[in-house]
Amino acid sequence: MQFKTADLSAAPVVLSIRQLSVGLSGETTKVLDAISLDVREGETACLVGESGSGKSVTSLAVMGLLQKGSLEVTGGEIVLDGNDLLRLTPSQMRRIRAQRIAMIFQEPMTALNPVMRVGEQIAEVLKTHTDMSAGDCKARVLEIMEQVHLPEVPRIYRSYPHQLSGGQRQRIMIAMALVLEPKLLIADEPTTALDVTTQAQILSLIAELQERHGTAVLFITHDMGVVAEVAHTVHVMQHGRIVEQAPVESLLRRPREDYTRTLLSSVPSLVPRHVRAESRQQEVLEVRGMRKVYGGNGWFLRRPGTLAARDIDFSVVRGRTLGIVGESGSGKSTVARCIMRLVDPTEGEVRVAGIEIARLSRRALRPHRKHFQVVFQDPFRSLNPRWTIAMSLTEGPLNYGMRYSESFARAEEMIELVGLPRDSLHRYPHQFSGGQRQRIAIARAIMMRPDVLVADEAVSALDVSVQAQVLKLLGDIQQKLGVAILFITHDLRVAAQICDDVIVMQHGAIVEQGPAAAVLSAPRHEYTQQLINAAPGRHWDFANFRELETA
Amino acid sequence: MAHATQPASAMQALLGALSLPRRWRIGAGPIIAAVVLLVIVLSALLAPLYVPYDPMQMNSLNRLQPATADHLLGTDQYGRDLFSRIMIGGRVSLLIGVGAAVFSVLVGLLIGLVSGFFRIADAIIMRIMDSLMAIPAILLAIALVALNGPSVWSVIVAITIPEVPRVVRLVRSVVLGAREEPYVEAAIALGSGMFGILWKHLMPNTLPALIVQGTYICASAILTEALLSFLGAGVSTEIPTWGNIMAEGRTYFQVNPGLIFWTGAVLSLCILSINLLGDTARDMLDPRLKKREA
Amino acid sequence: MLGYIIRRVLAVVPVMVIVALFVFLMLRLTPGDPAAILAGDSATPAQLDRIRENLGLNEPLHTQFIGWVTQMFRGDLGVSLISKTPVSTMIGQRIWPTLNIAVLTITLSVLIAIPMGVIAAWRHRSWVDYAVMTFSVLGFSVPVFVIGYVFIQIFAIELRWFPVQGYMAPSRDFVGFLQRAVLPAFTLATIYVALIARMTRASMLDVLGEDYVRTARAKGLRENVVLFRHALRNAAVPIMTIIGTGFALLIAGVVVTESVFNIPGVGRLTVDAILARDYPVIQAMILLTAGLYVLVNLVIDISYTLIDPRIRY
Amino acid sequence: MSKPIPTNAGAKIAKWQGGLAVAMVGALSLPAMAQTDADTITAVMHSGLRVLDPIITTAHITRNHGYMIYDVLLASDEEFNPQPQMADWEVSDDGLVYTFRLREGLTFHDGEPVTAADVVASLQRWGERDSGGQLIFDVTESLEASDDRTVTWTLSEPFAPLVEVLAKQSAVPPFIMPARIAETSADSSISEHIGSGPFRFVEEEYEPGVSVTYERFEDYVPREEEPSWMAGGKVVNVERVVWTTMPDAQTAVNALSAGEIDYIEQVQVDLLPILESNPDVVVETRDPYGYQTMGRLNFKHPPFDDKQIRQAALMALNQEDVLAAMMGDPEHYEVCGAIFGCNTPLADDTGSETLTGGGDPEGARQLLEEAGYDGTPVVLMQPTDVSSLTAQPVVAAQALRNAGFEVDMQPMDWQTLVNRRASMSAPDDGGWNIFFTNWMVPEITSPLISVMLNGRGEEGWFGWPEDERLEELRAEFIAAESLEEQQEVARKLQAHTLDEVIYIPLGQYNMPQARRDNLTDMIPSPVPVFWNVQKQ
């Protein structure tokens, strides 16, 4: 593993945060509690932490963009080039932005104005802060767009954000941030919303530009892999405090604080789990020649539909986990929804516990629904907010004619099985955290004693530590109930940790299929290799604080 | 509340729908509005018990009097006591408001649920609703009152019919949105039938929006009643309503401005309160807004 | 795009057919007899029947409907039963006052309401916001004619700034038109401003929470640029929608305002026609307003594509 | 009322309004005070003009329109005496041949001269519509143009009041129009509006129900005599007369106060105080006779098919109550039991003692008992959208209930009422028992004019009394040769009408008019006319 090690102690400090505290307006709760950090010229300082740790608030405080009326700075200073930003007037601060500090955000789709051409959005920065003529402006914009390696620059200049890919949009954001060559670039989770291959490109772009301009970068992320790739120094945040600050290598090798250790230990390893013996049990889910085309019928004009999945063949046996891995748009969720019959497959067979369900009418399907259940990605939307947990849990069994007392008893059993107290049953979803809700969703699924459990990105929205717990829970449940799991994920690390077998999908088709160990350690297909190579920090074994042995 | 006694029932769904975050931030405005509305409603309901005059009793010697000790707010062109008429008139005006709100919400809910869930019905229903929406409500209402005669019920019906399409659209959009929610998909996976999902998951979802919409319809119905009366297509003047008191009084606006002013003030105050409460309800019930404030 | 417009225009056809059928049947079921209006108070039943025969009112309903629809397709709106004037002439005479006042009202409303809404959203929870919200609720709560009378009392009778009533064609005397149109337009605008300001505020509040607004601020843009160039355009779709649906509200207001200010417009024409059961006029007017409503909303729908490049059909 | 404009208004406003607003107000406000044109009269009439054919309808506004653009052969003066207008006349001694001779210089607005043929065609069309006209045509042997200027009307039997009928002011006067127009069927409206009257109809500026413009007809030759009602010289002193309608009485009053209009035909009594305080406005009674308000019972259905119960209804009512509720100020109404109107030549008040004397609920109660009234509800139709008819039903319902009637008051708009009153069905099956309406006094001054006094059952007016005696009395009236004889028959008619309760007269009232003080010399006739008027 090659870490960034340049000695920057001689480089001038660009940003110096001293004892910065931020609180909720009108309340005493501290969102940031006296944090201090420095960023030097040419340095990439990573701010790491789980959601709610205060890392984004820090970046917004530096930009002076804390939401008015809800958050306010209560103490400390933010010094940029010797000026305390907190003492500037709003119009002075406005001049600092983009010229001295620039920022890129997590969601390049939402961070760009959807109704303005991207070229104009970049040019707007120049028009606001410089006296350049329109022609010069445009030339400069085209130049910076070249620098961020955008293709067909004149065409993209005239494009709207929705006409560009995620990676291109993030490049536009970077171009916009760097067009005035600011001293400091704040990157707030700039690659989180991107596919792993795109992420790798963007990370290297940022590194390249940083090197060329000597920009100081404050890089905010939750992803230890990314940290390992980009950081010079790392600041670990928890509950609004910085708990540990260290150069990247020493932090990863020798974390001093417990929290850092836990955080690192929770990062799933890319090394596949130990191989479980091939089971001889019957196949409970079998998909043959499945194909799904969306749309394709208009009233007046027959339009071609979108081919979302084709030639899908696989099977899962009792007690084992099959992972479907792929980037966004690969068709993995379509496969899951077809199997759940939330959408109807266009062609092919789906057998669950021996019953062909692909062609059954909705009504005829209902008696068989209990055999296959699903857990969704978003823990905040997967439970009816107006129902108690008991109501959500007993809904299924009641549908199959179980008496209420009996199903309530089972609900008590299941809620304990997923590690929540019994009295949770009388509460409402909003009283639970995301991880807890995901446990409840799992409990609801296993209330039905299904043969197959489909987990559609079931841990993607969770912080790593919670993610690890939920993954463990799924494993335990599989152990106890022998359920087959179809695990849909974009995250190779997660797949490596939970799957016995893996399917890699691209453009709606399966490109590689086999035991997890084989596919992830020795990928045969070019695309699988790309995926694995792009995984940040893939040579580091975070949980054991050392290089991967196999690397 | 929902202990192991009853299976998920519509009642629970209803209660669940109303179980809101505990930290309601209610300013002074809505509380004042609630009090004002309560006073107006109670004084209208109890009016027969305390009004000093029979609101229909004419007295040609006492026409268009300004406010005096005898006649708290003066008299109208037939010498009838304005105070008594406004108080009694509130009963019918409020009845029209509440009636139109209840009917349009019920009818709209029914049609909207069907429309949001069954695609074939949807196409036809929405064309009819589009057509109804295209006809200006006030003209439709005047024609309907002309059709049925100027009774209280026909005014309620005339106000309800143009409101229904809006409720249908609202319900339909909530249903269409909620259909895609993971918890509804989970319910499908759990083997719940269409009607079960419609009734237990989707219908409760529409309630907050409907409660809010209902308050707005109530307010606008009271206002529409006034406009209909103004245009000569309202409830017969034998039954006083805020609308027809003002409609009759408009001729005498300069002789006795109280006829319009006092009635208009009570009416506006009432509608203002209802609208404020509707806004408050929306702010509390609309999760989108809540998220923004968080 | 062109395909979309054609499809949208075609979709208008069933709507208008349903409107036509609905209006026709509703009117024929309404008690009332145009012949009686025509003949006056002392006509005898036999005389009335002869007049009815002459007006074609004794034909079976479906014959009348088919006759009317074929007539409409030929572009002939028929002749008023009462005044014998061609309906197209009557509407032609009276639509301009209404349209002129309506256009003035919409212009005024948009000019007033949008800045109001934007500022309220920008200064969310400040006194400006509360003032705007209070005004917008108030605007919904006071009957249009009360506002009209209050305006007349204050501005026409007490202050004598404007005439009490009347209408002047802008082509004849533009200043005269404005003098007479200002009060009705403001009266009508009250509710419209309330509506638009409210929607602008809500929509802006949504948009101001968006990432690209934060981006715009992070670029160091001035607040007015952020608000009007970045946020408002993104908030425009719901605002446009409400302007379109509010058009129906405007029609209701016009009917009343025309009475209060004695403007010879189509609102009064329609109400009078309903009260006189002048079927051809009512039918034509309801079809016309319905068509206008549909058209306005069609134009607004299509204009979404200009505002928001993401919307493609 | 008319507060002076504060001189520093502009400065005051500037303090609280933006510059734009000030500019706008400044630019707009000053000319707002402009007065109407010096040679145009802008008049607000009691109703919008929608029907232009004065023969097909009895609507007052259309009749008024008729007097503007058409001329009549004969016209009655303020003494109710027929006078020559377009023509003078001679009667043969046997009373069977009437000869009318058109005066010189009569021209239609299209430039054609008025000929005897035009007169004949016009009279024939009128005769098909007007009830008085019908009576004359019943006894007509021939009506022809003897030459260009002479019309000869030959009767089969004498019809003494022929000239009175031709000269009548209401409801359908025989207006003279060109023959080609008068040949239109009497059941269809005419489509050209050309007369020979003192004003010309300006078609391009006509907006049905809103406004109608008349221009002085240059070629009109007025008679030499002084004007008296519709008779005498019609000298026009202004260039244009514009009639407009204002749906809102308040608006009209404000407009007159502000000088935006010149004249209001009828001012609601309650709005008078606003005008009376204005020195530039004159409020006056133009027409000394005014209106009669009345109620009509349905003879076809119980309970009013029973004479005693009809009488009970009459007894229960009290004119004073009705009139006070309608008009308020006693200065503007008059209790009057005469079916032909008070102060008219045929006036008589036999049988109206209870009506004018405060009602007799007790007597009514007794009569009801005697008649064995079984509590059948009386369906009383109440129009909700005609302001002059809203009070009567309310007051009457109260009075009838006091006398022991069951009253089912059914509100409806005037259109529904007009439709429903034509229904001969039972009251609970879409029919009715009572409704109310108003007449101008000249419309009821004679049994030949008053449509209520028709005893021909279903051929007659709504309510359909079948009453041979009534028809006999009408025939007797036609035969009467002198005023005294006519008065004698009228007394009998009065007594019979109130005894049978053919209808219930509820008294007379007046609608004052208002004008700017620079508008003078209006003729005090029931029909508002714009000749003779001066605008200074």
Side-chain angles (χ1 to χ4, degrees), chain A residues 3 183 302 343 388 394:
Chain A
F3 292 109
K183 290 275 200 179
R302 186 157 289 275
V343 295
T388 61
T394 55

mmCIF file of all heavy atoms in Angstrom, chain A residues 3 183 302 343 388 394:
data_model
loop_
_atom_site.group_PDB
_atom_site.id
_atom_site.type_symbol
_atom_site.label_atom_id
_atom_site.label_comp_id
_atom_site.label_asym_id
_atom_site.label_seq_id
_atom_site.Cartn_x
_atom_site.Cartn_y
_atom_site.Cartn_z
ATOM 1 N N PHE A 3 1.066 4.969 0.707
ATOM 2 C CA PHE A 3 0.389 6.107 1.327
ATOM 3 C C PHE A 3 1.056 7.397 0.888
ATOM 4 O O PHE A 3 2.204 7.409 0.464
ATOM 5 C CB PHE A 3 0.443 6.005 2.849
ATOM 6 C CG PHE A 3 -0.364 4.878 3.378
ATOM 7 C CD1 PHE A 3 0.250 3.760 3.923
ATOM 8 C CD2 PHE A 3 -1.751 4.920 3.305
ATOM 9 C CE1 PHE A 3 -0.507 2.718 4.410
ATOM 10 C CE2 PHE A 3 -2.494 3.868 3.793
ATOM 11 C CZ PHE A 3 -1.884 2.766 4.344
ATOM 12 N N LYS A 183 -7.017 28.742 -2.827
ATOM 13 C CA LYS A 183 -5.984 28.184 -1.959
ATOM 14 C C LYS A 183 -6.455 26.882 -1.343
ATOM 15 O O LYS A 183 -5.686 25.993 -1.074
ATOM 16 C CB LYS A 183 -5.704 29.164 -0.812
ATOM 17 C CG LYS A 183 -5.007 30.425 -1.261
ATOM 18 C CD LYS A 183 -3.551 30.161 -1.293
ATOM 19 C CE LYS A 183 -2.766 31.482 -1.239
ATOM 20 N NZ LYS A 183 -1.345 31.232 -1.254
ATOM 21 N N ARG A 302 -45.164 3.793 -30.990
ATOM 22 C CA ARG A 302 -44.559 2.670 -30.275
ATOM 23 C C ARG A 302 -43.079 2.964 -30.125
ATOM 24 O O ARG A 302 -42.351 3.093 -31.102
ATOM 25 C CB ARG A 302 -44.822 1.385 -31.051
ATOM 26 C CG ARG A 302 -44.366 0.137 -30.329
ATOM 27 C CD ARG A 302 -45.120 -1.071 -30.844
ATOM 28 N NE ARG A 302 -46.519 -1.069 -30.431
ATOM 29 C CZ ARG A 302 -46.934 -1.539 -29.260
ATOM 30 N NH1 ARG A 302 -46.071 -2.030 -28.390
ATOM 31 N NH2 ARG A 302 -48.216 -1.510 -28.962
ATOM 32 N N VAL A 343 -42.265 -6.044 -10.002
ATOM 33 C CA VAL A 343 -42.493 -5.785 -11.426
ATOM 34 C C VAL A 343 -42.586 -7.156 -12.082
ATOM 35 O O VAL A 343 -42.120 -8.149 -11.533
ATOM 36 C CB VAL A 343 -41.361 -4.955 -12.074
ATOM 37 C CG1 VAL A 343 -41.302 -3.583 -11.476
ATOM 38 C CG2 VAL A 343 -40.021 -5.664 -11.936
ATOM 39 N N THR A 388 -47.574 0.939 14.397
ATOM 40 C CA THR A 388 -46.648 0.450 15.405
ATOM 41 C C THR A 388 -45.879 -0.695 14.792
ATOM 42 O O THR A 388 -46.277 -1.279 13.787
ATOM 43 C CB THR A 388 -47.396 -0.081 16.647
ATOM 44 O OG1 THR A 388 -48.231 -1.162 16.235
ATOM 45 C CG2 THR A 388 -48.236 0.999 17.297
ATOM 46 N N THR A 394 -46.996 -8.043 12.292
ATOM 47 C CA THR A 394 -48.045 -9.069 12.236
ATOM 48 C C THR A 394 -48.837 -9.010 10.932
ATOM 49 O O THR A 394 -49.639 -9.895 10.679
ATOM 50 C CB THR A 394 -49.022 -8.905 13.404
ATOM 51 O OG1 THR A 394 -49.533 -7.580 13.377
ATOM 52 C CG2 THR A 394 -48.353 -9.172 14.731
#
